C-alpha cells in the first residue's frame, strides 16, 4: 500500500493526512472456489507471518473507582466526587507489535510529568475532577522510552503509534514520538474543537505538540471482519486492521491483530477495564451508555465468530498474562 502525505488544515491546525492507494476487496476466508482464490488465500496467510511478536509494557499504574470499572447507574460526576473506594492499582498498558514493516504501538501510556509537574493538569474545579478520577503511580523507569528499552527496543524504531482515544493516559508518550506517524480517528480529533475539552479528559496542551505527524485512518467497507463493516488495513496485508469502537469516546478505535497459527487479538483501549465483565455484557462507567452497549455487543459477537480471540484492554490487570499465553500457543 502506498502512502502519500498531504497537508490540510482542520479548525486552524495544520495536520498531515495520508492518502492511501486503493486496496483490494477482502473477502471472507472461506473454502476456495477457484485457483485464483486459493492463491489469494495463501497470500493472505503468508502476510500474517509478518507479525513477529506482540508484547505489553506498562507506563506505571493507576487506581480508579469501582464505578469506573463497571457502570453503577449513578451519575458520573456524583460518583467521581463522592466515592471513597478505589481499586487496586491497574496497569497503564501500551501494546507493542513487531511487524516486518515497522514497530507499531497501540497507545502510548501516561506521561511521568503528570505526577512530577504541578502544572500538568488544569487548576480549579476541573483539576479537582482529575484528582478525584484517578491516582497514578509512575516511577522514573516508567517512561515509554525506558519501557521499550527494557524489552530490547529502541524508541527510534517506532514507525507508527495508534491512539485508541485522546485521554491523558493514552497520549503520554507523544512527546517521545516526533519521528513516528501518529494515527487517531478523525472523529476523535474533531472532538478537540468542541467546547470545554478539558472537562472531557482532553488536554490539548499535551496533545497538540510541535513536530508530531498526525494522520487519520480511512475506513473502507470490508466483509472479512464481521460484524464490523468497515476497517482500516494498516499495512494492506490484513494483519493489523483498525475498527471503530465508539462509546468511551465518540472516536475510540480498536486494533485487530491477526497472526498465523495463533488466535487473533483485539486491542480495545478503554472500552472495558475487565474482559470478563465485557464478555458478560457489562459496560464501563465512563462514556455514552448507548454506544457502549452497542459496541460491547458488537465485540462479543466478533468474539463468538472468532474462537480463541483475546481481548486486550488498556487497564485490565489480566491482559498482559492473556497476551503472554497467546504468544506461547
Amino acid at each position: 500500500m502506498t502512502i502519500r502525505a498531504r497537508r490540510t488544515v482542520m479548525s486552524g491546525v495544520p495536520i498531515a493526512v495520508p492518502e492511501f492507494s486503493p486496496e483490494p476487496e477482502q473477502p471472507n476466508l472461506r473454502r476456495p472456489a477457484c485457483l485464483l482464490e486459493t492463491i489469494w488465500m495463501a497470500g493472505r496467510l503468508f502476510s500474517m507471518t509478518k507479525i513477529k511478536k506482540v508484547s505489553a509494557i506498562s507506563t506505571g499504574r493507576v487506581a480508579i473507582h469501582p464505578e469506573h470499572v463497571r457502570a453503577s447507574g449513578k451519575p458520573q460526576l456524583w460518583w467521581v466526587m463522592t466515592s471513597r473506594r478505589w481499586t487496586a492499582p491497574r496497569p497503564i498498558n501500551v501494546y507493542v507489535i513487531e511487524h516486518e514493516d515497522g514497530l507499531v504501538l497501540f497507545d502510548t501510556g501516561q506521561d511521568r510529568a503528570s505526577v512530577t509537574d504541578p502544572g500538568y493538569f488544569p487548576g480549579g474545579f476541573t483539576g479537582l475532577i482529575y484528582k478525584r478520577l484517578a491516582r497514578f503511580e509512575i516511577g522514573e523507569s516508567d517512561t515509554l522510552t525506558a519501557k521499550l528499552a527494557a524489552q530490547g527496543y529502541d524508541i527510534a524504531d517506532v514507525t507508527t503509534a495508534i491512539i485508541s482515544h485522546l485521554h491523558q493516559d493514552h497520549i503520554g508518550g507523544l512527546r517521545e514520538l516526533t519521528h513516528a506517524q501518529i494515527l487517531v480517528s478523525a472523529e476523535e480529533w474533531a472532538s478537540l474543537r468542541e467546547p470545554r475539552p478539558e472537562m472531557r479528559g482532553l488536554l490539548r496542551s499535551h496533545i497538540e505538540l510541535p513536530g508530531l505527524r498526525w494522520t487519520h485512518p480511512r475506513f473502507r467497507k470490508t466483509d472479512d471482519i464481521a460484524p464490523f463493516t468497515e476497517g482500516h488495513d494498516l499495512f494492506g496485508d490484513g494483519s493489523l486492521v483498525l475498527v471503530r469502537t465508539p462509546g468511551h469516546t465518540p472516536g475510540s478505535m480498536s486494533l485487530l491483530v491477526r497472526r498465523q497459527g495463533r488466535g487473533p487479538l483485539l486491542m480495545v483501549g478503554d472500552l472495558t477495564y475487565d474482559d470478563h465483565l465485557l464478555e458478560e455484557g457489562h459496560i464501563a462507567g465512563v462514556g455514552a451508555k448507548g454506544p457502549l452497549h452497542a459496541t460491547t455487543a458488537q465485540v462479543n459477537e466478533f468474539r463468538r465468530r472468532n474462537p480463541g480471540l483475546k481481548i486486550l484492554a488498556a487497564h485490565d490487570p489480566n491482559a498482559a498474562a492473556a497476551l503472554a499465553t497467546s504468544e506461547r500457543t
Side-chain angles (χ1 to χ4, degrees):
M1 178 179 64
T2 302
I3 302 177
R4 302 188 306 277
R6 62 180 174 86
R7 300 292 291 178
T8 188
V9 175
M10 178 176 290
S11 300
V13 178
I15 60 173
V17 180
E19 295 181 345
F20 299 93
S21 61
E23 298 172 357
E25 292 294 322
Q26 299 174 354
N28 288 316
L29 294 180
R30 59 189 183 277
R31 184 175 179 178
C34 63
L35 178 60
L36 288 177
E37 189 172 345
T38 302
I39 295 171
W40 181 90
M41 286 181 60
R44 172 54 62 89
L45 290 173
F46 175 75
S47 72
M48 293 179 187
T49 66
K50 290 188 174 183
I51 295 180
K52 307 303 180 184
K53 183 180 179 183
V54 182
S55 56
I57 58 177
S58 181
T59 61
R61 302 191 300 169
V62 61
I64 54 181
H65 297 289
E67 295 90 344
H68 203 141
V69 177
R70 179 175 175 177
S72 63
K74 301 175 184 176
Q76 181 180 335
L77 185 59
W78 174 261
W79 62 255
V80 167
M81 299 304 294
T82 64
S83 178
R84 297 183 179 181
R85 298 182 300 154
W86 295 87
T87 67
R90 292 168 166 263
I92 307 170
N93 285 333
V94 174
Y95 294 103
V96 184
I97 304 151
E98 190 177 335
H99 189 281
E100 188 176 282
D101 293 336
L103 192 65
V104 177
L105 304 182
F106 186 77
D107 284 328
T108 68
Q110 179 81 3
D111 192 341
R112 176 164 160 74
S114 64
V115 299
T116 61
D117 179 0
Y120 186 88
F121 292 108
F125 180 69
T126 303
L128 178 60
I129 292 176
Y130 279 91
K131 186 177 295 186
R132 287 288 308 158
L133 190 63
R135 294 175 174 175
F136 293 100
E137 301 173 8
I138 306 173
E140 293 181 5
S141 61
D142 288 332
T143 65
L144 182 61
T145 296
K147 286 292 188 172
L148 286 172
Q151 296 292 319
Y153 298 113
D154 187 332
I155 196 166
D157 294 331
V158 176
T159 60
T160 305
I162 299 163
I163 309 298
S164 65
H165 63 289
L166 290 170
H167 285 167
Q168 42 108 12
D169 52 336
H170 298 260
I171 55 89
L174 286 179
R175 66 182 69 254
E176 302 167 69
L177 293 167
T178 54
H179 60 282
Q181 175 179 273
I182 313 296
L183 266 72
V184 69
S185 75
E187 295 87 351
E188 191 75 2
W189 186 262
S191 70
L192 286 174
R193 303 291 171 265
E194 296 174 5
R196 306 186 72 185
E198 292 82 6
M199 287 294 290
R200 292 178 283 107
L202 306 177
L203 301 177
R204 289 178 59 179
S205 61
H206 305 307
I207 295 170
E208 297 172 322
L209 301 173
L212 292 180
R213 295 191 290 123
W214 292 98
T215 63
H216 304 320
R218 290 188 173 184
F219 292 95
R220 302 177 185 275
K221 294 289 184 181
T222 182
D223 63 358
D224 74 336
I225 53 173
F228 300 106
T229 59
E230 293 184 327
H232 170 79
D233 192 334
L234 192 63
F235 291 113
D237 60 16
S239 62
L240 299 177
V241 181
L242 283 165
V243 294
R244 291 188 176 99
T245 49
H248 184 68
T249 66
S252 288
M253 301 188 297
S254 295
L255 178 66
L256 172 62
V257 181
R258 295 188 284 197
R259 310 163 295 169
Q260 186 182 29
R262 287 167 288 178
L265 310 170
L266 187 64
M267 300 168 182
V268 299
D270 285 355
L271 173 63
T272 188
Y273 299 88
D274 186 321
D275 180 40
H276 296 299
L277 292 176
L278 180 77
E279 190 170 17
E280 294 170 0
H282 301 295
I283 63 170
V286 176
K289 290 184 179 179
L292 279 172
H293 278 297
T295 297
T296 294
Q298 192 173 37
V299 167
N300 281 329
E301 174 61 16
F302 187 76
R303 186 203 309 263
R304 186 189 68 80
R305 298 185 186 205
N306 294 271
L309 176 72
K310 300 293 184 184
I311 305 289
L312 305 176
H315 308 295
D316 186 341
N318 300 310
L323 174 57
T325 299
S326 79
E327 282 288 294
R328 292 193 296 266
T329 57

